[in-house]
């Protein structure tokens, strides 16, 4: 079994106080565990002399530097311009605001395109915004057999009326990574904007927003070892064209124009610390962007190796069926098990193995897969997952599955 050269998972795990509790976490797609450095950065920011952003007192300068530092960190993680990095409460809140802002220029002749593969946070904000102005919503389907979403199927929904295409960088339910550069090229040929939900993808791959072709890219630091907030990245030039609702005294500068109220400085400091942890996972040379690209490549290789081990193990369990089948995907497996996902979730939890069951807000995808609103068991890997976790998962599943299995999903 090949280990990923230079990827020291034991050393990484030692940085996570939560892992001392002895649980095996396969619940990362819902939110990752947090390294000590991130918690320390949050605490240090809360306890330092701090004031609203400014350049006069040390307290004002501190919060200013926290914000600028977090924009720089996210820009390095995403290959984006720090002046186009917006912070918000969550990806959902940022998307609702973005859709509402964009929709002020839409009318009944306009169309928006959403996909059935997406988390509802990249569907409903667009559907609601379109409904409000009488615009048409067009749906892109995915293939439930392969869980692939094809660029041609997106292209089939485009016209000169299309204003926005909202598509996921990776499915949080089945892990599918649609061919975003090809999708974005078709969207741009149609003269529309491509908004990419990168929440699931950013935890598992090196991101280059420009190479993806995303006009807007959103993600959530709590999925990649950071605290609970949301991030939107776009070019400053694009952000300058938008007029979000704002208070009279608040600045009209970009990106602050999009950040309602006072930012959570402590969470921003934690976000910078999380990015620095990811940068420490690759070779110790080059600037932070270079280390992040190498670090995330190492994470991807490590997680893919463990995913293959899990798939091999699941194939030996009678009645278990893996629904995640796309050629290019994250290490997130949706699995139908005899006795049902909820039963397996509970049985595993009794053994200290955490793999939840559900549809995880990817409601359209769950329904399209024939799983209704209940979904199935989701097994998600994270940078801190290790071989022992995988052994515990496979042993736990073998123990909790009914001896005489009924049909999957029954
Ligand atoms: C793919 C995907 N998109 C969007 C979201 C919503 O993110 P947030 O909780 O930051 O609103 C999630 C959360 O699970 C997700 O997995």
């Amino acid at each position: 079994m090949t280990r990923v050269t230079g990827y020291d998972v034991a050393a990484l795990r030692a940085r996570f106080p939560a892992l001392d509790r002895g649980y095996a976490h396969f619940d990362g797609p819902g939110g990752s565990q947090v390294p000590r450095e991130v918690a320390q950065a949050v605490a240090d920011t809360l306890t330092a002399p701090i004031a609203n952003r400014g350049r006069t007192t040390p307290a004002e300068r501190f919060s200013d530097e926290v914000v600028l530092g977090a924009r720089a960190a996210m820009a390095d993680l995403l290959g984006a311009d720090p002046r186009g990095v917006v912070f918000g409460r969550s990806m959902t809140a940022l998307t609702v605001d973005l859709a509402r802002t964009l929709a002020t220029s839409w009318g009944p002749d306009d169309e928006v395109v959403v996909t059935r593969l997406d988390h509802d946070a990249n569907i409903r904000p667009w559907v609601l915004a379109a409904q409000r102005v009488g615009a048409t919503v067009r749906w892109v389907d995915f293939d439930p057999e392969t869980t692939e979403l094809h660029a041609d199927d997106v292209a089939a929904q485009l016209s000169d009326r299309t204003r926005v295409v909202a598509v996921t960088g990776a499915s949080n339910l089945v892990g599918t990574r649609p061919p975003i550069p090809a999708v974005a090229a078709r969207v741009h040929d149609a003269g529309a904007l491509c908004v990419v939900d990168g929440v699931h993808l950013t935890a598992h791959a090196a991101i280059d927003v420009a190479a993806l072709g995303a006009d807007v890219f959103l993600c959530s630091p709590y999925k990649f070892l950071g605290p609970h907030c949301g991030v939107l990245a776009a070019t400053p030039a694009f952000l300058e064209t938008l007029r979000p609702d704002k208070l009279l005294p608040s600045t009209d500068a970009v990106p602050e124009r999009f950040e309602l109220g006072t930012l959570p400085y402590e969470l921003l400091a934690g976000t910078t610390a999380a990015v620095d942890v990811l940068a420490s996972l690759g070779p110790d040379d080059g600037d932070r962007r270079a280390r992040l690209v190498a670090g995330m490549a190492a994470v991807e290789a490590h997680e893919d190796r463990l995913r293959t081990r899990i798939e091999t193990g699941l194939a030996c369990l009678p009645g278990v069926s893996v629904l995640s089948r796309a050629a290019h995907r994250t290490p997130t497996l949706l699995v139908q098990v005899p006795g049902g996902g909820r039963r397996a979730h509970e049985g595993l939890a009794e053994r200290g193995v955490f793999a939840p069951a559900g549809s995880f807000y990817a409601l359209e995808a769950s329904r399209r897969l024939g799983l209704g609103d209940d979904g199935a068991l989701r097994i998600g890997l994270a940078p801190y997952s290790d071989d022992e976790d995988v052994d515990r998962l496979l042993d736990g599943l073998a123990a909790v599955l009914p001896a005489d299995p009924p049909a999957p999903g029954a």
Side-chain angles (χ1 to χ4, degrees):
M1 193 186 306
T2 10
R3 294 285 185 286
V4 182
T5 320
Y7 192 84
D8 187 345
V9 71
L12 176 62
R13 289 174 69 86
R15 295 160 80 174
F16 289 77
L19 297 182
D20 294 346
R21 305 287 281 272
Y23 303 127
H25 284 274
F26 293 93
D27 48 8
S32 60
Q33 304 306 303
V34 174
R36 191 172 288 107
E37 293 97 315
V38 171
Q40 195 60 52
V42 172
D44 288 350
T45 306
L46 284 169
T47 51
I50 194 160
N52 284 339
R53 290 176 72 185
R55 299 305 305 171
T56 306
T57 70
E60 291 167 1
R61 285 198 293 276
F62 178 62
S63 56
D64 199 40
E65 276 148 26
V66 165
V67 174
L68 297 177
R71 293 203 208 287
M74 284 308 304
D76 281 349
L77 182 67
L78 304 178
D81 185 330
R83 295 166 306 154
V85 171
V86 176
F87 288 99
R89 207 195 76 59
S90 61
M91 175 277 183
T92 304
L94 286 165
T95 307
V96 167
D97 285 348
L98 176 69
R100 192 187 305 143
T101 302
L102 287 170
T104 56
S105 69
W106 302 344
D109 288 341
D110 291 317
E111 298 183 356
V112 298
V113 176
V114 294
T115 93
R116 294 206 189 280
L117 188 64
D118 273 77
H119 186 286
D120 213 53
N122 202 32
I123 296 177
R124 219 55 51 186
W126 303 107
V127 171
L128 292 172
Q131 279 171 351
R132 235 169 254 137
V133 297
T136 300
V137 178
R138 297 207 172 275
W139 290 84
V140 180
D141 203 1
F142 66 96
D143 181 338
E145 285 306 311
T146 62
T147 62
E148 299 279 10
L149 184 133
H150 300 288
D152 284 349
D153 293 331
V154 178
Q157 300 303 328
L158 299 172
S159 75
D160 56 4
R161 297 174 162 207
T162 313
R163 304 297 299 272
V164 168
V165 175
V167 59
T168 191
S171 157
N172 65 310
L173 188 67
V174 286
T176 302
R177 292 177 61 174
I180 297 298
V183 169
R186 311 289 280 268
V187 173
H188 293 152
D189 285 348
L193 290 171
C194 185
V195 176
V196 175
D197 172 2
V199 172
H200 185 61
L201 182 61
T202 308
H204 300 290
I207 305 293
D208 183 330
V209 172
L212 286 171
D215 297 293
V216 184
F217 185 91
L218 297 110
C219 62
S220 306
Y222 75 96
K223 307 287 191 183
F224 52 84
L225 320 184
H228 292 84
C229 57
V231 177
L232 177 154
T235 62
F238 170 70
L239 295 180
E240 290 287 357
T241 66
L242 304 182
R243 294 270 143 213
D245 289 340
K246 68 174 272 304
L247 305 187
L248 202 54
S250 65
T251 176
D252 199 30
V254 163
E256 285 82 358
R257 184 188 292 179
F258 296 85
E259 295 171 328
L260 298 173
T262 310
L263 286 172
Y265 303 124
E266 64 280 8
L267 304 186
L268 269 51
T271 298
T272 302
V275 170
D276 285 332
V277 170
L278 293 175
S280 75
L281 302 182
D284 189 17
D285 55 351
D287 60 15
R288 183 168 57 188
R289 170 72 186 156
R291 284 182 284 118
L292 279 164
V293 170
M296 290 311 296
V299 166
E300 199 174 343
H302 170 73
E303 292 180 343
D304 277 349
R305 182 184 68 78
L306 293 181
R307 185 191 83 190
T308 305
R309 273 206 61 207
I310 295 174
E311 286 169 344
T312 307
L314 291 178
C316 302
L317 295 177
V320 170
S321 141
V322 177
L323 301 174
S324 305
R325 295 182 190 136
H328 198 203
R329 57 197 161 90
T330 64
T332 298
L333 299 173
L334 189 71
V335 181
Q336 268 190 303
V337 293
R342 183 183 300 247
R343 188 175 170 280
H345 174 201
E346 289 167 2
L348 287 170
E350 282 167 18
R351 289 164 171 78
V353 177
F354 299 166
S359 58
F360 308 102
Y361 278 39
L363 205 58
E364 301 288 347
S366 178
R367 290 175 181 172
R368 186 69 183 92
L369 288 166
L371 303 172
D373 295 359
D374 290 344
L377 188 73
R378 183 177 70 179
I379 298 168
L381 290 161
Y384 45 77
S385 304
D386 70 1
D387 284 278
E388 195 189 325
D389 288 341
V390 171
D391 292 340
R392 290 176 65 187
L393 171 79
L394 294 172
D395 290 348
L397 271 176
V400 302
L401 295 185
D404 190 11

